[in-house]
Amino acid sequence: MFFVDTIELEGLGNRSYLAGGEHTAVAVDPPRDIDRVLAAAARRGVRISHVAETHIHNDYVSGGLQLARVAGAAYLVPAGAHVSFARVAVSDGDAVEIDAGVTLRAMATPGHTPHHTSYVLHDGDRPVAAFTGGSLLIGTVGRPDLVEPRLTERLARAQHASAHRLAAELPDATAVLPTHGFGSFCSSAQAEGDTTTIGEQRAGNPALGVDVDTFVADLLAALDDVPAYYAHMGPANTAGPAPVDLTPPAAAGAEEIAARLAAGEWVVDLRNRVAFAEGHVAGSFNFEAEGKLATYLAWMVPWGKPVTLLAESAEQLAGAQRELVRVGIDRPAAAATGGPGQWLRRGEEAASFPRSTFAGLAERGAGRVVVLDVRRDSERAGGWIEGSVHIPVHELHGRLGEVPGGTVWVHCAGGMRAAIAASLLDAAGREVVAVDDGFDAAREAGLPLTSG
């Protein structure tokens, strides 16, 4: 008998896995906060005998090295990955026994990276699951442009060949268990569905339905922006990440919060965007703890700049710390919990700005105010409000000077990124209205849209 448990990393849009038998198990592509994996093993009553990486990750800091050390497990890393620590180098066809009758076989699947390796779990002689990392995903594949621009087309062609190899060599019933594709920017598109098999992918994955030239052209044309912090993840994983420290940060009072803002540090308010708009510390930025906190904060903050976190509760703060260590923001400079009443100095008033909808914008008149669209290029290509200014949210901090004068109505596709952008503009002293609405409502409101 075998089992496979999925460990969701919703903030990053990834998954990790624990798989094995009655006594021992393998952890595949584990997150940096390894206590979640250890807890999963404890619930199963198994020992982690192996830790396997499908590739050197570009979108998060791996917990593989530390987990292998803590568990006394063999650390399986593709032989083609150049790393600075001891590991078991695995090559195509290598197999290890995980538990009685349960084995793991390496299958070279380059494309997402040159050394990318998938792992096929066998129950006896029967392949039951394929941990495909950033190779074959659900309805798509991992993107090939995160390693080196000169390699992108070559890796795209390799990605096509790897997807076809998986489909040709594995039975239809084999479960496909990717790491990426659930919101991660490592995926070339959003995953279609939650679970799948080789047979389902053979029938519906575009990579398996077109010739290589068409596949490469379509894939390269659809590539989206790359989060800036990705540049730091590969080197961290190659060097060997340090253990994490999730103990509470030093507590900051109102005077310290003000001093850190005056020093140009980032003070990040984790509360929901409604609460932030209603009242916040002037100069602070709003990155909702319940949104894609790690992705967008790590993408936008100047790398290495001290970050102070403001949370409504100790639980919210702890959750944010956990998200942030996964992308290499290891220790907040300081933190505070509660609300503006605890974070403002005596005599200071909370800052605020209004929120509205696309219907509210239509009523105001889009041609009479500055409309700022902070969606990505790929999203805007589907249509935009006529006359709107376009600056993707991840570029806004460095391009505030390009926003025309006057009150700014800022929108994205749903509201979260508009709230981030509104907080940046508000901190810069601009009059801003955050459009907290789905973009489909823009057409329904009668706003003039254009495209092309």
Side-chain angles (χ1 to χ4, degrees), residues 4-8 14-18 36 40 43 177:
V4 177
D5 289 340
T6 300
I7 300 169
E8 296 277 359
N14 286 328
R15 288 177 176 177
S16 178
Y17 301 94
L18 183 74
R36 294 194 61 196
R43 286 192 294 270
L177 303 174

Side-chain angles (χ1 to χ4, degrees), residues 240-307:
V244 299
D245 178 3
L246 291 175
T247 59
E255 291 292 341
E256 183 176 352
I257 292 170
R260 290 188 176 278
L261 282 168
E265 297 182 10
W266 277 40
V267 174
V268 173
D269 191 324
L270 301 169
R271 295 174 302 147
N272 71 71
R273 55 187 182 260
V274 176
F276 182 88
E278 290 176 349
H280 55 270
V281 177
S284 62
F285 302 143
N286 182 215
F287 290 79
E288 291 180 305
E290 300 305 315
K292 283 190 165 291
L293 167 67
T295 295
Y296 282 100
L297 180 55
W299 195 340
M300 296 173 64
V301 67
W303 197 253
K305 183 176 281 289
V307 174

Side-chain angles (χ1 to χ4, degrees), residues 5-6 11 15 51 93 109 150 198 225 246 333 347 367-368 417 448:
D5 289 340
T6 300
R15 288 177 176 177
V51 177
T109 49
R150 293 171 297 177
I198 287 290
D225 298 324
L246 291 175
R368 297 163 55 195
R417 288 171 294 171

